[in-house]
Amino acid sequence: MTSKERVCAVLDYKKPDRVPVEIGALPAVHERYGDRLQSLIDRRDVDIVCAPRNDPTEDKLMYEVGVHTDLWGSRWESVCRGMAGEVKGYPLEDDDAIAGYQSPTHLFLEAHPSSFFNDTIAFARQNKDKFIRAGWIRFFEQMQFLRGTENLFCDIAWESDEFFAIRDIVLEYELTYAKIVSSAPGVDAIVVGDDWGSQRSLLISLESWRKLFKPGYQQIIDTIHKNGKKVFFHSDGYILDLYKDLIDMGIDAINSQIWCMGPEKVAEKIQGRIALWGELNRQSTLPFGTKEDILREIAVMKEVFGDRLIGQFEAGADVPLENIETALFGW
């Protein structure tokens, strides 16, 4: 099987010849290990690769040290090169700023798609046997970047007019982004990524999530599917209660921190109805565990998720190179 065939087998309820593998390596990891890391990735011949993001709204300073304001007007502060910083300034913190606010949506509408498709098309040609994912859609998190997390949680609790105004601003952008990016030739899947869990529970009630956010996600998912692309969903934290909804919405693969919920509990919840796009435990095992610890986790995941598993993991700068090697080759 080619890499693309291998991943598609997992997504289409078929048996792959082996577990497909992907590494999510932050720029800081490449900064630390350089050619040694790239050599491991090349030798492993990973199955899923990420197309370069080159759209009019890309934050080119996301991984640079310092303070900068992105195209949404959010002020970022970062102290470590290769890792995203934190938003410390919120353009819609003041209620009065909402009415006259303009998102970067117009930048997509004014640009010719070829201006950012060319790199994607070239990448797809160079990786024609790979499964290619592209994009990163933030719905909930982008609202936080605009409003501030504390203010947004108050808005959610009160179901305020400000909440719905900001939600509609962000949703308009994300639907435009989803429509354009999912039309890129050669791309197999688009990523939707929002962290919805703390270590022990959802950040808001399931009822509020279903009422306030699920309809927007459904529009985004339907838009991507209409262009013939798969939807990969990422969400950190304890999201056990969301799996049924994500399955019902048509998500094709889910990336979540299964080890803070328990892989057996996750397997029982999903019952093979959605592909597991990783992941190994990056809170403790990857940075601090032994080779045997990593191989033990891999064995558990293969046992409980079977043919519906993609062997994905995210490596931070705190993960030893030998652990990255084990996580790449242990499947």
Side-chain angles (χ1 to χ4, degrees), residues 212-224:
L212 303 177
F213 291 94
K214 185 175 179 178
Y217 280 125
Q218 190 68 70
Q219 291 182 62
I220 293 169
I221 293 164
D222 291 346
T223 297
I224 296 169

Side-chain angles (χ1 to χ4, degrees), residues 292-318:
E292 289 71 27
D293 293 330
I294 295 170
L295 292 176
R296 191 177 302 114
E297 282 195 358
I298 289 174
V300 169
M301 292 174 69
K302 290 172 71 174
E303 179 181 357
V304 300
F305 299 121
D307 294 336
R308 303 246 61 204
L309 176 64
I310 296 169
Q312 187 273 354
F313 67 99
E314 181 179 307
D318 56 349

Side-chain angles (χ1 to χ4, degrees), residues 139 143 162-173:
F139 184 23
M143 293 178 67
E162 289 79 14
F163 168 82
F164 291 105
I166 295 172
R167 186 191 65 175
D168 291 348
I169 289 170
V170 174
L171 183 58
E172 178 192 27
Y173 167 85

Side-chain angles (χ1 to χ4, degrees), residues 53 57 59 62-63 70 72 76 84-85 135-145 170-171 173-175 177 191-195 217 220 234:
R53 179 175 175 182
T57 64
D59 186 356
M62 173 66 73
Y63 295 108
D70 66 17
W72 291 81
W76 291 78
W136 195 280
I137 293 173
R138 291 189 179 105
F139 184 23
F140 173 53
E141 290 182 0
Q142 187 58 60
M143 293 178 67
Q144 294 179 64
F145 299 161
V170 174
L171 183 58
Y173 167 85
E174 299 299 359
L175 287 172
Y177 181 97
V191 179
V192 180
D194 275 319
D195 295 341
Y217 280 125
I220 293 169
H234 161 86

Side-chain angles (χ1 to χ4, degrees), residues 247-267:
I247 293 166
D248 292 344
M249 291 160 63
I251 296 291
D252 298 287
I254 176 71
N255 175 260
S256 50
Q257 294 178 294
I258 62 172
W259 293 93
C260 74
M261 295 173 276
E264 291 82 4
K265 288 184 178 179
V266 174

Side-chain angles (χ1 to χ4, degrees), residues 17-291:
D17 58 346
R18 64 164 174 81
V19 176
V21 175
E22 181 193 18
I23 177 175
L26 298 174
V29 188
H30 287 277
E31 290 270 340
R32 179 179 180 185
Y33 296 121
D35 292 342
R36 291 185 295 161
L37 173 61
Q38 192 58 51
S39 176
L40 286 177
I41 295 172
D42 292 342
R43 182 157 59 90
R44 184 61 182 93
D45 193 22
V46 296
D47 299 289
I48 299 178
V49 292
C50 183
R53 179 175 175 182
N54 184 25
D55 66 64
T57 64
E58 178 186 8
D59 186 356
K60 299 183 184 301
L61 298 176
M62 173 66 73
Y63 295 108
E64 299 296 330
V65 173
V67 178
H68 77 279
T69 300
D70 66 17
L71 292 172
W72 291 81
S74 302
R75 190 183 79 249
W76 291 78
E77 297 182 10
S78 177
V79 297
C80 179
R81 179 176 168 82
M83 297 183 68
E86 295 182 344
V87 179
K88 299 295 187 180
Y90 311 102
L92 301 185
E93 185 173 20
D94 187 334
D95 294 356
D96 294 335
I98 299 174
Y101 180 77
Q102 184 179 34
S103 77
T105 305
H106 68 284
L107 297 177
F108 258 120
L109 299 176
E110 294 166 1
H112 192 280
S114 64
S115 65
F116 50 92
F117 276 176
N118 288 342
D119 287 348
T120 302
I121 293 171
F123 182 86
R125 287 173 178 166
Q126 294 168 3
N127 295 274
K128 57 184 176 62
D129 291 332
K130 301 287 189 181
F131 188 93
I132 299 173
R133 63 175 178 86
W136 195 280
I137 293 173
R138 291 189 179 105
F139 184 23
F140 173 53
E141 290 182 0
Q142 187 58 60
M143 293 178 67
Q144 294 179 64
F145 299 161
L146 291 173
R147 183 68 163 165
T149 300
E150 184 176 349
N151 286 336
L152 182 62
F153 280 131
C154 290
D155 291 335
I156 291 170
W158 295 328
E159 296 188 15
S160 66
D161 292 342
E162 289 79 14
F163 168 82
F164 291 105
I166 295 172
R167 186 191 65 175
D168 291 348
I169 289 170
V170 174
L171 183 58
E172 178 192 27
Y173 167 85
E174 299 299 359
L175 287 172
T176 301
Y177 181 97
K179 180 179 180 180
I180 293 176
V181 175
S182 66
S183 66
V187 170
D188 300 297
I190 306 299
V191 179
V192 180
D194 275 319
D195 295 341
W196 274 109
S198 69
Q199 191 70 16
R200 296 180 295 179
S201 66
L202 291 178
L203 295 175
I204 65 174
S205 72
L206 182 59
E207 292 73 22
S208 291
W209 187 89
R210 285 172 170 164
K211 179 180 180 180
L212 303 177
F213 291 94
K214 185 175 179 178
Y217 280 125
Q218 190 68 70
Q219 291 182 62
I220 293 169
I221 293 164
D222 291 346
T223 297
I224 296 169
H225 279 158
K226 284 178 182 177
N227 276 336
K229 306 299 193 294
K230 301 291 188 182
V231 178
F232 278 31
F233 195 96
H234 161 86
S235 190
D236 282 341
Y238 193 102
I239 61 165
L240 200 64
D241 294 334
L242 284 187
Y243 284 121
K244 181 182 184 303
D245 291 85
L246 297 176
I247 293 166
D248 292 344
M249 291 160 63
I251 296 291
D252 298 287
I254 176 71
N255 175 260
S256 50
Q257 294 178 294
I258 62 172
W259 293 93
C260 74
M261 295 173 276
E264 291 82 4
K265 288 184 178 179
V266 174
E268 181 180 359
K269 180 69 72 171
I270 65 172
Q271 299 179 340
R273 293 177 295 164
I274 192 171
L276 262 292
W277 175 33
E279 63 178 42
L280 290 170
N281 187 344
R282 56 185 154 93
Q283 291 183 308
S284 57
T285 306
L286 283 172
F288 308 119
T290 65
K291 175 180 179 179

